[in-house]
Structure formats: C-alpha cells, structure tokens
Coordinates of all heavy atoms in Angstrom, one line a residue:
R148 N -155.7 -4.4 64.5 CA -156.7 -3.3 64.2 C -156.6 -3.0 62.7 O -155.6 -3.1 62.1 CB -156.3 -2.1 65.0 CG -156.4 -2.3 66.5 CD -156.4 -1.0 67.2 NE -157.9 -0.7 67.2 CZ -158.4 0.4 67.8 NH1 -157.6 1.2 68.4 NH2 -159.6 0.6 67.7
N149 N -157.7 -2.6 62.2 CA -157.9 -2.1 60.8 C -157.4 -3.1 59.8 O -156.7 -2.8 58.8 CB -157.1 -0.8 60.6 CG -157.7 0.3 61.4 OD1 -158.9 0.5 61.5 ND2 -156.8 1.2 61.9
M150 N -157.9 -4.4 60.0 CA -157.6 -5.4 58.9 C -158.7 -5.2 57.9 O -159.9 -5.1 58.1 CB -157.7 -6.8 59.5 CG -157.5 -7.9 58.5 SD -157.5 -9.5 59.1 CE -155.9 -9.6 59.8
Q151 N -158.2 -5.2 56.6 CA -159.2 -5.1 55.5 C -159.5 -6.5 55.0 O -158.6 -7.4 54.8 CB -158.6 -4.3 54.3 CG -159.6 -4.1 53.2 CD -159.0 -3.1 52.2 OE1 -157.8 -3.0 52.0 NE2 -159.9 -2.5 51.5
V152 N -160.8 -6.8 54.8 CA -161.3 -8.1 54.4 C -161.0 -8.3 52.9 O -161.4 -7.5 52.1 CB -162.8 -8.3 54.7 CG1 -163.3 -9.6 54.2 CG2 -163.0 -8.2 56.2
I153 N -160.4 -9.4 52.6 CA -160.2 -9.8 51.2 C -161.2 -10.8 50.8 O -161.8 -10.6 49.7 CB -158.7 -10.4 51.0 CG1 -157.7 -9.3 51.3 CG2 -158.6 -10.9 49.6 CD1 -156.3 -9.8 51.4
E154 N -161.5 -11.8 51.6 CA -162.6 -12.7 51.3 C -163.0 -13.3 52.6 O -162.3 -13.3 53.6 CB -162.2 -13.8 50.4 CG -161.0 -14.7 50.8 CD -160.6 -15.7 49.8 OE1 -161.3 -16.7 49.7 OE2 -159.7 -15.4 49.0
S155 N -164.3 -13.7 52.7 CA -164.9 -14.2 53.9 C -166.0 -15.2 53.5 O -166.8 -14.9 52.6 CB -165.5 -13.0 54.6 OG -166.4 -13.5 55.6
S156 N -166.0 -16.4 54.1 CA -167.0 -17.4 53.8 C -167.1 -18.4 54.9 O -166.1 -18.6 55.7 CB -166.7 -18.1 52.5 OG -165.5 -18.8 52.6
P157 N -168.2 -19.1 55.1 CA -168.3 -20.1 56.1 C -167.5 -21.4 55.5 O -167.3 -21.5 54.3 CB -169.7 -20.5 56.2 CG -170.3 -20.0 54.9 CD -169.5 -18.9 54.4
T158 N -167.1 -22.2 56.4 CA -166.4 -23.5 56.0 C -167.5 -24.4 55.4 O -168.7 -24.0 55.5 CB -165.8 -24.2 57.2 OG1 -166.8 -24.4 58.2 CG2 -164.6 -23.4 57.8
K159 N -167.1 -25.5 54.8 CA -168.0 -26.3 54.1 C -169.2 -26.8 55.0 O -170.3 -26.9 54.5 CB -167.3 -27.6 53.5 CG -166.4 -27.2 52.4 CD -165.7 -28.4 51.8 CE -164.8 -28.0 50.7 NZ -164.1 -29.2 50.1
D160 N -168.9 -27.1 56.2 CA -170.0 -27.5 57.1 C -170.8 -26.3 57.7 O -171.8 -26.5 58.4 CB -169.4 -28.4 58.3 CG -168.4 -27.6 59.2 OD1 -168.3 -26.4 59.0 OD2 -167.8 -28.3 60.0
G161 N -170.4 -25.1 57.4 CA -171.1 -23.9 57.8 C -170.9 -23.5 59.2 O -171.5 -22.5 59.7
K162 N -170.1 -24.2 60.0 CA -169.9 -23.9 61.4 C -168.9 -22.8 61.7 O -169.0 -22.1 62.7 CB -169.5 -25.2 62.1 CG -170.5 -26.3 62.2 CD -170.0 -27.5 63.0 CE -171.0 -28.6 63.0 NZ -170.4 -29.7 63.8
H163 N -167.9 -22.7 60.8 CA -166.8 -21.8 61.1 C -166.6 -20.7 60.1 O -167.0 -20.9 58.9 CB -165.5 -22.6 61.3 CG -165.7 -23.8 62.2 ND1 -166.0 -23.7 63.5 CD2 -165.6 -25.1 61.9 CE1 -166.1 -24.9 64.0 NE2 -165.9 -25.8 63.0
L164 N -166.0 -19.6 60.4 CA -165.7 -18.5 59.5 C -164.3 -18.7 59.0 O -163.4 -18.9 59.8 CB -165.9 -17.2 60.2 CG -165.4 -15.9 59.5 CD1 -166.2 -15.7 58.3 CD2 -165.4 -14.7 60.4
R165 N -164.2 -18.6 57.7 CA -162.9 -18.6 57.1 C -162.7 -17.2 56.4 O -163.5 -16.8 55.6 CB -162.8 -19.7 56.0 CG -161.5 -20.0 55.5 CD -161.7 -21.2 54.6 NE -161.1 -21.0 53.3 CZ -159.9 -21.3 52.9 NH1 -159.1 -21.9 53.7 NH2 -159.5 -20.9 51.7
L166 N -161.6 -16.5 56.8 CA -161.5 -15.1 56.4 C -160.0 -14.9 56.0 O -159.1 -15.4 56.6 CB -161.8 -14.2 57.6 CG -161.9 -12.7 57.3 CD1 -163.1 -12.1 58.0 CD2 -160.6 -12.1 57.7
R167 N -159.9 -14.2 54.9 CA -158.5 -13.7 54.5 C -158.5 -12.2 54.6 O -159.4 -11.6 54.0 CB -158.2 -14.2 53.0 CG -156.8 -13.9 52.6 CD -156.5 -14.6 51.3 NE -155.1 -14.3 50.9 CZ -154.8 -13.9 49.7 NH1 -155.7 -13.9 48.8 NH2 -153.5 -13.6 49.5
G168 N -157.5 -11.7 55.2 CA -157.4 -10.3 55.4 C -156.1 -9.7 55.2 O -155.1 -10.4 55.1
S169 N -156.0 -8.4 55.1 CA -154.8 -7.7 54.8 C -154.6 -6.6 55.9 O -155.5 -5.9 56.2 CB -154.8 -7.1 53.4 OG -153.6 -6.3 53.2
C170 N -153.4 -6.5 56.4 CA -153.1 -5.5 57.4 C -151.6 -5.1 57.3 O -150.7 -6.0 57.2 CB -153.3 -6.0 58.8 SG -153.3 -4.8 60.1
N171 N -151.3 -3.8 57.1 CA -150.0 -3.3 57.0 C -149.2 -4.0 55.8 O -148.0 -4.3 55.9 CB -149.2 -3.4 58.3 CG -149.8 -2.6 59.4 OD1 -150.3 -1.5 59.1 ND2 -149.7 -3.1 60.6
G172 N -149.9 -4.3 54.7 CA -149.3 -4.9 53.5 C -149.1 -6.4 53.6 O -148.5 -6.9 52.7
K173 N -149.5 -7.0 54.7 CA -149.4 -8.5 54.8 C -150.7 -9.1 54.8 O -151.7 -8.6 55.3 CB -148.6 -8.8 56.1 CG -147.2 -8.2 56.2 CD -146.4 -8.8 57.2 CE -145.1 -8.3 57.4 NZ -144.4 -7.5 56.5
H174 N -150.8 -10.3 54.2 CA -152.0 -11.0 54.1 C -152.0 -12.2 55.1 O -151.0 -12.8 55.3 CB -152.2 -11.6 52.6 CG -152.5 -10.5 51.6 ND1 -153.0 -10.8 50.4 CD2 -152.2 -9.2 51.7 CE1 -153.1 -9.6 49.7 NE2 -152.6 -8.7 50.5
F175 N -153.2 -12.5 55.6 CA -153.4 -13.5 56.7 C -154.6 -14.3 56.4 O -155.6 -13.8 56.0 CB -153.5 -12.8 58.1 CG -152.3 -12.0 58.5 CD1 -152.4 -10.6 58.2 CD2 -151.2 -12.6 59.1 CE1 -151.3 -9.8 58.6 CE2 -150.2 -11.8 59.4 CZ -150.2 -10.4 59.2
W176 N -154.5 -15.6 56.7 CA -155.7 -16.5 56.7 C -156.1 -16.5 58.2 O -155.3 -16.7 59.1 CB -155.3 -17.9 56.2 CG -155.4 -18.0 54.8 CD1 -154.3 -18.1 53.9 CD2 -156.5 -17.9 53.9 NE1 -154.7 -18.2 52.6 CE2 -156.0 -18.0 52.6 CE3 -157.9 -17.8 54.1 CZ2 -156.9 -18.0 51.5 CZ3 -158.7 -17.8 53.1 CH2 -158.2 -17.9 51.8
C177 N -157.4 -16.4 58.4 CA -158.0 -16.5 59.7 C -159.1 -17.5 59.8 O -159.8 -17.7 58.8 CB -158.6 -15.1 60.1 SG -157.5 -13.7 59.8
I178 N -159.3 -18.0 61.0 CA -160.4 -19.0 61.2 C -161.1 -18.6 62.5 O -160.5 -18.2 63.5 CB -160.0 -20.4 61.2 CG1 -161.1 -21.4 61.4 CG2 -159.0 -20.7 62.4 CD1 -161.8 -21.7 60.1
G179 N -162.4 -18.5 62.4 CA -163.2 -18.2 63.6 C -164.1 -19.4 63.9 O -165.1 -19.6 63.2
F180 N -163.8 -20.1 64.9 CA -164.6 -21.3 65.2 C -165.9 -20.9 65.8 O -166.1 -19.9 66.5 CB -163.8 -22.2 66.2 CG -162.6 -22.8 65.6 CD1 -161.3 -22.3 66.0 CD2 -162.7 -23.8 64.7 CE1 -160.2 -22.9 65.4 CE2 -161.5 -24.3 64.1 CZ -160.3 -23.9 64.5
N181 N -167.0 -21.6 65.3 CA -168.4 -21.3 65.7 C -168.8 -19.9 65.3 O -169.7 -19.3 66.0 CB -168.6 -21.6 67.2 CG -168.3 -23.0 67.5 OD1 -168.8 -23.9 66.8 ND2 -167.5 -23.2 68.6
M182 N -168.2 -19.4 64.2 CA -168.6 -18.0 63.7 C -169.1 -18.1 62.3 O -169.0 -17.1 61.5 CB -167.4 -17.1 63.8 CG -166.9 -16.8 65.2 SD -165.5 -15.7 65.1 CE -165.1 -15.5 66.9
G183 N -169.6 -19.3 61.9 CA -170.0 -19.5 60.5 C -171.1 -18.6 60.0 O -171.2 -18.4 58.8
N184 N -171.9 -18.1 60.9 CA -173.0 -17.2 60.5 C -172.5 -15.7 60.3 O -173.3 -14.9 59.8 CB -174.1 -17.2 61.5 CG -173.6 -16.8 62.9 OD1 -172.4 -16.8 63.2 ND2 -174.6 -16.4 63.7
E185 N -171.2 -15.5 60.5 CA -170.7 -14.1 60.3 C -170.1 -14.0 58.9 O -169.2 -14.8 58.6 CB -169.6 -13.8 61.4 CG -170.1 -13.9 62.8 CD -170.8 -12.7 63.2 OE1 -170.6 -11.6 62.6 OE2 -171.6 -12.8 64.2
I186 N -170.5 -13.1 58.1 CA -169.9 -12.8 56.8 C -169.5 -11.4 56.7 O -170.3 -10.5 57.2 CB -170.9 -13.2 55.7 CG1 -171.3 -14.6 55.8 CG2 -170.4 -12.8 54.3 CD1 -170.2 -15.6 55.5
Y187 N -168.4 -11.1 56.2 CA -167.9 -9.8 56.1 C -167.6 -9.4 54.6 O -167.1 -10.2 53.9 CB -166.6 -9.6 56.9 CG -166.9 -9.9 58.4 CD1 -166.8 -11.2 58.9 CD2 -167.2 -8.8 59.2 CE1 -167.1 -11.4 60.2 CE2 -167.5 -9.1 60.6 CZ -167.5 -10.3 61.1 OH -167.8 -10.6 62.4
T188 N -167.9 -8.2 54.2 CA -167.9 -7.8 52.9 C -166.4 -7.5 52.4 O -165.7 -6.9 53.2 CB -168.7 -6.5 52.7 OG1 -170.0 -6.7 53.2 CG2 -168.8 -6.0 51.2
H189 N -166.1 -7.9 51.2 CA -164.8 -7.6 50.7 C -164.5 -6.1 50.7 O -165.4 -5.3 50.4 CB -164.7 -8.0 49.2 CG -163.5 -7.6 48.5 ND1 -162.3 -8.2 48.6 CD2 -163.3 -6.6 47.6 CE1 -161.4 -7.6 47.9 NE2 -162.0 -6.6 47.3
G190 N -163.4 -5.7 51.2 CA -163.0 -4.3 51.3 C -163.4 -3.6 52.6 O -162.9 -2.5 52.9
S191 N -164.2 -4.3 53.5 CA -164.6 -3.7 54.7 C -163.5 -3.8 55.7 O -162.5 -4.6 55.5 CB -165.9 -4.4 55.3 OG -165.7 -5.7 55.6
F192 N -163.5 -3.1 56.8 CA -162.4 -3.1 57.8 C -163.0 -3.7 59.1 O -164.1 -3.4 59.5 CB -161.9 -1.7 58.0 CG -161.0 -1.2 56.9 CD1 -161.6 -0.6 55.8 CD2 -159.7 -1.5 56.9 CE1 -160.8 -0.1 54.8 CE2 -158.9 -1.0 55.9 CZ -159.4 -0.4 54.8
I193 N -162.1 -4.5 59.8 CA -162.5 -5.1 61.0 C -161.3 -5.0 62.0 O -160.2 -4.8 61.6 CB -162.9 -6.6 60.8 CG1 -161.7 -7.4 60.1 CG2 -164.1 -6.8 60.0 CD1 -161.9 -8.9 60.0
D194 N -161.7 -5.2 63.3 CA -160.7 -5.3 64.3 C -160.9 -6.7 64.9 O -162.0 -7.1 65.1 CB -160.9 -4.3 65.5 CG -160.6 -2.9 65.0 OD1 -159.8 -2.7 64.1 OD2 -161.2 -2.0 65.6
I195 N -159.8 -7.5 65.0 CA -159.9 -8.8 65.6 C -158.9 -9.0 66.7 O -157.8 -8.5 66.8 CB -159.7 -9.9 64.5 CG1 -158.3 -9.9 63.9 CG2 -160.7 -9.9 63.4 CD1 -157.9 -11.1 63.0
A196 N -159.4 -9.8 67.7 CA -158.5 -10.4 68.7 C -158.2 -11.8 68.3 O -159.2 -12.5 67.9 CB -159.2 -10.3 70.1
F197 N -157.0 -12.3 68.4 CA -156.7 -13.6 67.9 C -155.5 -14.2 68.6 O -154.8 -13.6 69.3 CB -156.3 -13.5 66.4 CG -155.1 -12.6 66.1 CD1 -153.9 -13.1 66.1 CD2 -155.3 -11.2 65.8 CE1 -152.8 -12.2 65.9 CE2 -154.3 -10.4 65.6 CZ -153.0 -10.9 65.6
N198 N -155.4 -15.5 68.4 CA -154.2 -16.3 68.8 C -153.5 -16.7 67.5 O -154.2 -17.0 66.5 CB -154.5 -17.5 69.6 CG -155.1 -17.2 71.0 OD1 -155.0 -16.0 71.4 ND2 -155.7 -18.1 71.6
L199 N -152.2 -16.8 67.5 CA -151.4 -17.3 66.4 C -151.3 -18.8 66.5 O -151.1 -19.4 67.5 CB -150.0 -16.7 66.3 CG -150.0 -15.2 66.1 CD1 -148.5 -14.7 66.2 CD2 -150.5 -14.9 64.7
E200 N -151.4 -19.4 65.3 CA -151.1 -20.9 65.2 C -150.2 -21.2 64.1 O -150.4 -20.7 63.0 CB -152.5 -21.6 65.0 CG -152.3 -23.1 65.0 CD -153.7 -23.8 64.9 OE1 -154.3 -24.0 65.9 OE2 -154.0 -24.2 63.7
L201 N -149.2 -22.0 64.3 CA -148.2 -22.3 63.2 C -148.7 -23.7 62.7 O -148.9 -24.7 63.4 CB -146.8 -22.5 63.8 CG -145.7 -22.9 62.8 CD1 -145.6 -21.8 61.7 CD2 -144.4 -23.1 63.5
N202 N -148.9 -23.7 61.3 CA -149.3 -24.9 60.6 C -148.2 -25.4 59.8 O -147.5 -24.6 59.2 CB -150.5 -24.6 59.7 CG -151.7 -24.1 60.5 OD1 -152.1 -24.6 61.5 ND2 -152.3 -23.0 59.9
E203 N -148.0 -26.7 59.7 CA -147.0 -27.3 58.9 C -147.6 -28.4 58.1 O -148.2 -29.3 58.6 CB -145.8 -27.8 59.7 CG -144.6 -28.2 58.9 CD -143.4 -28.6 59.7 OE1 -143.4 -28.3 60.9 OE2 -142.4 -29.1 59.1
Y204 N -147.4 -28.3 56.7 CA -148.0 -29.3 55.8 C -147.1 -29.4 54.7 O -146.7 -28.4 54.0 CB -149.4 -28.8 55.3 CG -150.1 -29.8 54.4 CD1 -150.6 -30.9 54.9 CD2 -150.2 -29.5 53.1 CE1 -151.3 -31.8 54.1 CE2 -150.8 -30.4 52.2 CZ -151.3 -31.5 52.7 OH -152.0 -32.4 51.9
N205 N -146.7 -30.6 54.4 CA -145.7 -30.9 53.3 C -144.4 -30.0 53.4 O -144.0 -29.4 52.4 CB -146.3 -30.7 51.9 CG -147.3 -31.8 51.6 OD1 -147.2 -32.9 52.1 ND2 -148.2 -31.6 50.7
N206 N -143.9 -30.0 54.6 CA -142.7 -29.2 54.9 C -142.8 -27.7 54.6 O -141.9 -27.0 54.4 CB -141.5 -29.7 54.1 CG -141.1 -31.1 54.6 OD1 -141.3 -31.4 55.8 ND2 -140.6 -32.0 53.7
T207 N -144.1 -27.2 54.5 CA -144.3 -25.8 54.4 C -145.0 -25.3 55.7 O -145.9 -25.8 56.2 CB -145.3 -25.5 53.2 OG1 -144.7 -26.0 52.0 CG2 -145.6 -24.0 53.0
K208 N -144.4 -24.2 56.2 CA -144.9 -23.6 57.4 C -145.7 -22.4 57.1 O -145.3 -21.6 56.2 CB -143.8 -23.3 58.4 CG -143.1 -24.5 58.9 CD -142.0 -24.1 59.9 CE -141.3 -25.3 60.4 NZ -140.2 -25.0 61.3
D209 N -146.8 -22.2 57.8 CA -147.7 -21.1 57.5 C -148.3 -20.7 58.9 O -148.5 -21.5 59.8 CB -148.8 -21.5 56.6 CG -149.6 -20.3 56.1 OD1 -149.1 -19.2 56.1 OD2 -150.8 -20.6 55.6
V210 N -148.7 -19.4 59.0 CA -149.3 -18.9 60.2 C -150.7 -18.6 60.0 O -151.1 -18.0 59.0 CB -148.6 -17.6 60.7 CG1 -149.3 -17.0 61.9 CG2 -147.1 -17.9 61.0
S211 N -151.6 -19.1 60.9 CA -153.0 -18.8 60.9 C -153.4 -18.0 62.1 O -152.8 -18.2 63.1 CB -153.9 -20.1 60.8 OG -153.7 -20.8 59.7
L212 N -154.4 -17.1 61.9 CA -154.9 -16.4 63.1 C -156.2 -17.0 63.5 O -157.1 -17.1 62.7 CB -155.1 -14.9 62.6 CG -153.9 -14.0 62.6 CD1 -152.9 -14.4 61.6 CD2 -154.4 -12.6 62.2
I213 N -156.2 -17.4 64.7 CA -157.4 -18.0 65.3 C -158.2 -16.9 66.0 O -157.8 -16.3 67.0 CB -157.1 -19.1 66.3 CG1 -156.1 -20.1 65.8 CG2 -158.4 -19.8 66.8 CD1 -156.5 -20.8 64.5
I214 N -159.3 -16.5 65.4 CA -160.1 -15.4 65.8 C -160.8 -15.7 67.2 O -161.5 -16.7 67.3 CB -161.2 -15.0 64.8 CG1 -160.5 -14.6 63.5 CG2 -162.1 -13.8 65.3 CD1 -161.5 -14.5 62.3
R215 N -160.6 -14.8 68.1 CA -161.3 -14.9 69.4 C -162.4 -13.9 69.5 O -163.4 -14.2 70.2 CB -160.3 -14.6 70.6 CG -159.2 -15.6 70.6 CD -159.7 -17.0 71.0 NE -158.6 -18.0 70.9 CZ -158.8 -19.2 70.5 NH1 -160.0 -19.7 70.1 NH2 -157.8 -20.1 70.4
D216 N -162.3 -12.8 68.9 CA -163.3 -11.8 68.9 C -163.2 -10.9 67.7 O -162.0 -10.7 67.2 CB -163.2 -10.9 70.2 CG -164.5 -10.1 70.4 OD1 -165.5 -10.4 69.8 OD2 -164.4 -9.1 71.2
I217 N -164.2 -10.4 67.2 CA -164.2 -9.6 65.9 C -165.2 -8.5 66.0 O -166.3 -8.7 66.5 CB -164.5 -10.6 64.7 CG1 -164.2 -9.9 63.4 CG2 -165.8 -11.2 64.8 CD1 -164.1 -10.8 62.2
H218 N -164.8 -7.3 65.5 CA -165.7 -6.1 65.5 C -165.6 -5.4 64.1 O -164.5 -5.2 63.6 CB -165.3 -5.1 66.6 CG -165.6 -5.7 67.9 ND1 -166.8 -5.7 68.5 CD2 -164.8 -6.3 68.8 CE1 -166.8 -6.2 69.7 NE2 -165.5 -6.6 69.9
R219 N -166.7 -5.1 63.6 CA -166.8 -4.3 62.3 C -166.5 -2.8 62.6 O -166.8 -2.3 63.7 CB -168.2 -4.4 61.7 CG -168.7 -5.8 61.4 CD -170.1 -5.7 60.9 NE -170.7 -7.0 60.9 CZ -170.7 -7.9 59.9 NH1 -170.1 -7.6 58.8 NH2 -171.3 -9.1 60.1
H220 N -166.0 -2.1 61.6 CA -165.9 -0.6 61.7 C -167.2 0.0 61.4 O -168.0 -0.5 60.7 CB -164.8 -0.2 60.8 CG -163.4 -0.4 61.4 ND1 -162.4 0.5 61.2 CD2 -162.9 -1.4 62.1 CE1 -161.3 0.1 61.8 NE2 -161.6 -1.1 62.4

C-alpha cells in the first residue's frame, strides 16, 4: 500500500508496464504483464497486489514485483 511512483513506462514492445516505486524508504522494480497501456505519474501513489520474483544475472540477485492488480489513489 501507498507505493510512490518514481518512474513508469511501457516496455519496448508496448505490451507490459515497467514501474519503479518507493515504499517505506525502499525502492522496487515492478513489471505488469499486459498492462502496457497503464501509465502512472511520477510522485503519484498507488496500491498494488503482487508476487515476488527473484532474478539472478551475472551473480547478482535482485527482487522484482510482478504486479497482479494496481489501483490509483
């Protein structure tokens, strides 16, 4: 709840939403599959339902939030 949008844009193919947000002082990368038509303004607040996904690339682990549902404030 109460995630502040840092940046929001569709993926290169326009199908999916790529969003970076901040909540409780922590920053998260989020992806919303088939949500490419949704754009959220920098600084706005949203509530999201998500699943966590652990990504590993070049021995670096990172957590992504896979958006299941999203609501504007």
Side-chain angles (χ1 to χ4, degrees):
R148 300 196 83 177
N149 292 322
M150 178 178 278
Q151 186 172 24
V152 175
I153 297 171
E154 60 183 279
S155 167
S156 64
T158 55
K159 289 181 183 180
D160 62 9
K162 292 182 182 179
H163 313 297
L164 170 66
R165 194 172 123 95
L166 185 140
R167 186 166 179 227
S169 175
C170 189
N171 296 326
K173 298 196 181 347
H174 292 197
F175 299 95
W176 279 108
C177 309
I178 184 83
F180 293 108
N181 299 313
M182 296 180 181
N184 60 338
E185 301 280 336
I186 299 297
Y187 297 88
T188 307
H189 172 80
S191 63
F192 287 88
I193 56 174
D194 294 334
I195 61 172
F197 60 88
N198 291 348
L199 292 175
E200 182 177 279
L201 181 62
N202 301 314
E203 188 171 351
Y204 182 73
N205 287 337
N206 294 327
T207 300
K208 293 180 181 179
D209 192 21
V210 175
S211 291
L212 281 57
I213 309 301
I214 300 170
R215 298 293 173 216
D216 195 17
I217 190 165
H218 294 279
R219 300 175 197 270
H220 279 216

